[in-house]
Amino acid sequence: MAKGRRGHPIVDSHIHLYPRSENGSIGWIDPGHHLAGQWSVDQYRDATKTASSSLSGFVIVEVNRTHDLETGQADGWSGWRGALQEVAYMSRVALGEPRHGEGHGAEDSKRCLGLVPWAPVPSGPAVLERYLGSVRKVAGAAWPRVRGFRYLLQDSPCGLFQRSEFVDSVKMLGRRGFVFEICADHHRRGQSQLDDAVALVELAHEGVRESDQVTFVIEPSSPSYQAWAAAIEALGRSRNTYIKISGAFNETSAEIRALAQDGSCSAVAEFMQPWFTTILGAFGPERIMFGSDWPVCTVAMENPWACWRDVVEAMCVGAGLEEGDVGRVFSGTAKEAYRLL
């Protein structure tokens, strides 16, 4: 396997892809949005060209396509149309079977290591079971690449993650061997986001034997260190919980982003080191994974991928991690958490 500058391959555990032709099924994108248009493997390859020899592959995560829980539950299709359209697109990338103009090819299949679609988790396990059947049918030969599911907490009412239907759905995903991803946006939604995430992890693991416990992957964001640090420490107590370090440029100040844009990645790493140290203390390198959050990361600055890789590497070095531990952060943890093929 090709190696990076310090001897470790890279698995990017968090990217989003979608073709221009399907922008209409992404409700938060309007024609003037920075992320409108096409964000394909071709563009991602260009963004990561400085790591082309060390980038082993990536995990595609859903982009919150338009959906309706009530109609999906009622007819098993219409409310899920956008999400299943995304599953079909993800599957074409995974299988190397593009439609004309989608921006990927047969050779890209081997680098698509895992898929994390949306799922109607609040609808309860019976409805979720029907949905999984639809995903399996739509994914076809790409079904083994589906490694987990996500439902965004950041767009949800307070307390949703603690409702019995939600918790029971997450428990079911664990029994089926899937990861569940949590994106808790403390920055924009407040402390309740972190409280809900901590409560869900506790409730979903309560009374469940370890072999059946769902694996959580956490994507936290917060500019407030104190409250964030307390939640990170609480989340880290669960052995089946992993954390991504990704998307930080979108949460930092304009001054920090300017440093990154100018190539002063070591200065950015020094600023972020206390956050990384807290994560490291709570999770250890064996449960931390690198992710870029591409192309969302491009909203804050141009061409951020290489700088984020350098920032993460510098934080690992600053924390005194051994080579094997750095390798865990850049690829080993993602492979373990997602059980990548």
Side-chain angles (χ1 to χ4, degrees):
M1 183 178 290
K3 304 296 182 182
R5 290 170 301 166
R6 288 175 53 85
H8 48 262
I10 299 172
V11 171
D12 191 339
S13 69
H14 197 100
I15 73 169
H16 307 284
L17 300 175
Y18 47 90
R20 184 186 305 275
S21 61
E22 296 182 8
N23 276 199
S25 69
I26 307 174
W28 51 269
I29 288 183
D30 59 49
H33 197 286
H34 173 82
L35 295 175
Q38 178 145 306
W39 297 90
S40 68
V41 177
D42 285 351
Q43 290 168 293
Y44 178 73
R45 188 186 302 108
D46 184 62
T48 60
K49 59 189 175 184
T50 59
S52 59
S53 64
S54 57
L55 184 60
S56 301
F58 50 81
V59 176
I60 308 176
V61 179
E62 62 92 24
V63 296
N64 198 24
R65 300 256 186 151
T66 302
H67 57 267
D68 186 284
L69 292 173
E70 290 186 7
T71 58
Q73 181 171 341
D75 64 19
W77 178 258
S78 60
W80 305 336
R81 184 180 292 112
L84 292 174
Q85 183 184 47
E86 181 174 46
V87 170
Y89 168 72
M90 287 178 168
S91 299
R92 292 195 296 274
V93 176
L95 298 174
E97 299 174 352
R99 291 178 178 172
H100 178 71
E102 283 190 334
H104 61 96
E107 70 281 1
D108 297 311
S109 172
K110 62 182 181 296
R111 286 199 170 181
C112 180
L113 304 179
L115 310 175
V116 181
W118 174 90
V121 182
S123 299
V127 175
L128 179 58
E129 187 70 51
R130 291 164 54 202
Y131 176 78
L132 293 182
S134 296
V135 171
R136 184 166 191 157
K137 181 178 180 180
V138 170
W143 171 249
R145 306 265 185 117
V146 177
R147 307 314 303 151
F149 293 89
R150 185 170 81 150
Y151 188 90
L152 288 179
L153 176 57
Q154 65 193 48
D155 297 326
S156 305
C158 295
L160 176 68
F161 273 32
Q162 300 182 50
R163 295 177 187 172
S164 59
E165 296 88 352
F166 202 106
V167 173
D168 290 345
S169 291
V170 172
K171 286 183 176 180
M172 190 198 84
L173 290 175
R175 291 193 299 271
R176 297 285 296 273
F178 291 114
V179 165
F180 182 66
E181 290 212 17
I182 301 174
C183 182
D185 191 350
H186 178 250
H187 189 168
R188 297 167 184 83
R189 292 289 305 278
Q191 183 63 30
S192 64
Q193 290 270 294
L194 297 177
D195 292 342
D196 268 5
V198 172
L200 174 61
V201 171
E202 293 175 350
L203 290 169
H205 287 167
E206 187 177 32
V208 180
R209 62 181 182 180
E210 189 169 348
S211 60
D212 287 338
Q213 287 182 357
V214 66
T215 295
F216 285 101
V217 174
I218 312 293
E219 308 155 31
S221 67
S222 175
S224 174
Y225 176 79
Q226 211 164 20
W228 174 88
I232 291 299
E233 290 169 4
L235 290 166
R237 295 187 192 115
S238 169
R239 292 174 57 190
N240 283 333
T241 303
Y242 297 77
I243 192 166
K244 289 182 182 180
I245 45 174
S246 68
F249 289 145
N250 288 354
E251 307 298 332
T252 56
S253 66
E255 290 78 12
I256 296 300
R257 292 197 296 271
L259 286 173
Q261 195 71 71
D262 290 342
S264 301
C265 300
S266 59
V268 177
E270 184 176 353
F271 171 80
M272 294 183 177
Q273 195 74 43
W275 277 264
F276 183 73
T277 300
T278 298
I279 291 173
L280 189 62
F283 287 85
E286 69 276 5
R287 291 191 287 136
I288 299 172
M289 68 182 83
F290 170 85
S292 68
D293 198 23
W294 187 91
V296 178
C297 58
T298 67
V299 173
M301 57 183 285
E302 294 181 14
N303 306 317
W305 197 95
C307 184
W308 181 238
R309 173 204 57 197
D310 291 348
V311 167
V312 172
E313 187 169 71
M315 291 191 298
C316 289
V317 172
L321 295 187
E322 299 290 337
E323 273 300 306
D325 289 336
V326 178
R328 286 285 303 188
V329 171
F330 274 100
S331 63
T333 299
K335 290 178 181 179
E336 178 180 292
Y338 288 111
R339 304 174 191 175
L340 297 179
L341 302 177

